[in-house]
Amino acid sequence: MITSMKKKVYIETMGCQMNKLDSELVACHLKACGYEICDALPEAEVVIFNTCSVRQHAEEKVISKIGQLKKEHQQRPQLVVAVIGCMAQRLGQQLLDDYRQVDIVCGPGQLHHFSSMLAEVLDRRRQMLSLNDPQETDNLEILDSKRDTEEMDRPFSAFVRVMRGCNKYCHYCVVPYVRGPEQSRPIRHIVAETRRLAENGVKEITLLGQTVNSYRFKEGGKTWGLADVLSQIHDIEGLERIRFVTSYPRDFDERILRAMADLPRVCEYLHIPAQSGSNRILKAMNRNYSVEAYLDLIEKARELVPGITIAGDFIVGYCGETDADFLATKELMRKVRYKNCFIFKYSPRPGTRAAAKMADDVPEVIKKQRNTELLALQNEIAFEDNQKLVGLPVEILVEGASKKPHLDSTEEVAEADAECTINYYEAKNSDTIQLTGRTRGDQIAVFNGSSKLIGQIVKLKIVKASALTLFGEMQ
Ligand code: SAH
Ligand code: F3S
């Protein structure tokens, strides 16, 4: 009997953690359907781009990758090219019309249909489109519940979705349009999924939502919030760390902070973007909180959760941002003393209110300058704060072999996040190597040790620190 060769699928993921999770779920599902996931595009018969629409640059990168595949597609007409995620949702049919080499366009809410779309394309060679249906709810549960830890890149750490979509409609942001309205998953599904993952060896769970603290699930006259999720999953056997991202600085229930303080497995870490330190700009962004309220919340968090680290996002060069507004942002950064910040130059997104109604009036050179200045300030602060950790013990979850031991700009953290998604299987067979992991406060720490430690929690003593990396030695 001749056994048929499995078709090879290559997946490239852009954007946020939600996309990383989606890619993983799609990969698991495809494997279960008999495909093989490979990590080199040239050997793949199916190429999937999981895309991001948050900034124009992210979309341009994908367009250029699709462009590069035109020739490849002519030479290998059997090659299937799929665009999934936010850009697929935003551009829809247009992607199929403009790029004949694209076979599948599938929105982020339709990924449970992806495998059948792929089968259809392989069978009939026709273009297929599936976009989010606002009437449909809960449709991704099928994928969430089918994840197989054996197929995960990092079988000891997993994302669990608690919500989808966003209702906040910040004026600059495309997410509510491409990911749809907020929907909270039933708490029992979250608990069941976490339990299943923990039974399969997962030690760290990161709960995901665009505004994770807005989680509200109502049933039978009862309402559950994020604090309830934290306490319900806390005692699941095998779990060692629980995190949640990203928090929205408004409607932040104090019960969440109390849960962080009381529940030892919940890590002392908040990613809570401020976006700007100017009330005028916050208003123009439709963020619905003031700088003062933001600072009060940070103060409360520091008071209730000792040792908490705070990460943030800022947009520079938003419509109408003056030098005085920018100074106010720097001032806020100095007051909060973030562990790290993601800093973005404002990019108008079609369909958003800012793009429609407000002039993108800060020149590119100024945006660039403000970006560099803010990064420099953040690095200065992080460097100073990290020096205070030298000599102290920390506990890290070892993620894998370090590819980039010296990170010297904050912007690189985003990339490092992707790159530190170490090749677990490759690394686990070698002896002493430089390993990387994260502290409970989400700081990156590197040290020399055996690859057998990957996936374990180890104690280190910090011997040196840069703005982005702690250098440790095993205790
Ligand atoms: N709540 C989400 C936010 C998604 S967008 C989360 O989970 O992170 C991520 C970040 O991109 C935002 O916090 C914001 O700082 C930035 N961003 C969003 N829209 C942008 C735009 N039009 N231009 C520049 N940066 C943007
Ligand atoms: Fe975007 Fe604001 Fe929601 S940044 S994801 S609209 S909270």
Side-chain angles (χ1 to χ4, degrees), residues 6-60:
K6 287 182 172 182
K7 283 221 179 308
K8 288 186 177 172
V9 180
Y10 171 79
I11 308 182
E12 200 166 315
T13 309
M14 274 64 67
C16 66
Q17 282 142 327
M18 210 55 102
N19 268 11
K20 287 184 194 157
L21 172 60
D22 284 343
S23 289
E24 189 173 297
L25 296 175
V26 168
C28 284
H29 193 57
L30 291 180
K31 279 185 202 164
C33 297
Y35 297 88
E36 185 183 327
I37 305 297
C38 67
D39 36 49
L41 192 151
E43 62 188 57
E45 290 143 291
V46 178
V47 174
I48 304 174
F49 295 121
N50 191 0
T51 59
C52 170
S53 284
V54 162
R55 283 166 294 278
Q56 193 183 338
H57 182 62
E59 289 199 350
E60 282 164 358

Side-chain angles (χ1 to χ4, degrees), residues 5 37 73 118 160-161 175 177 231 281 358 368 385 395 429:
M5 290 275 285
I37 305 297
H73 203 261
L118 179 56
V160 171
R161 208 188 309 258
V175 171
Y177 304 95
S231 65
I281 295 295
M358 300 162 86
K368 227 178 178 153
D385 286 352
E395 213 183 74
N429 298 319

Side-chain angles (χ1 to χ4, degrees), residues 166-170 172-176 210-211 248 275 287:
C166 183
N167 279 353
K168 302 291 187 279
Y169 289 96
C170 301
Y172 52 79
C173 187
V174 77
V175 171
Q210 301 292 347
T211 56
Y248 181 67
Q275 311 297 1
R287 290 289 287 179

Side-chain angles (χ1 to χ4, degrees), residues 150-166:
E150 273 182 30
E151 308 289 5
M152 285 162 45
D153 278 344
R154 290 195 285 173
F156 45 85
S157 176
F159 294 128
V160 171
R161 208 188 309 258
V162 298
M163 305 167 66
R164 310 171 198 297
C166 183

Side-chain angles (χ1 to χ4, degrees), residues 61 126 129 214 269 321 324 345 392:
K61 274 208 279 203
R126 65 184 190 93
L129 172 73
S214 303
Y269 167 69
E321 187 187 71
K345 291 178 289 176
L392 297 181

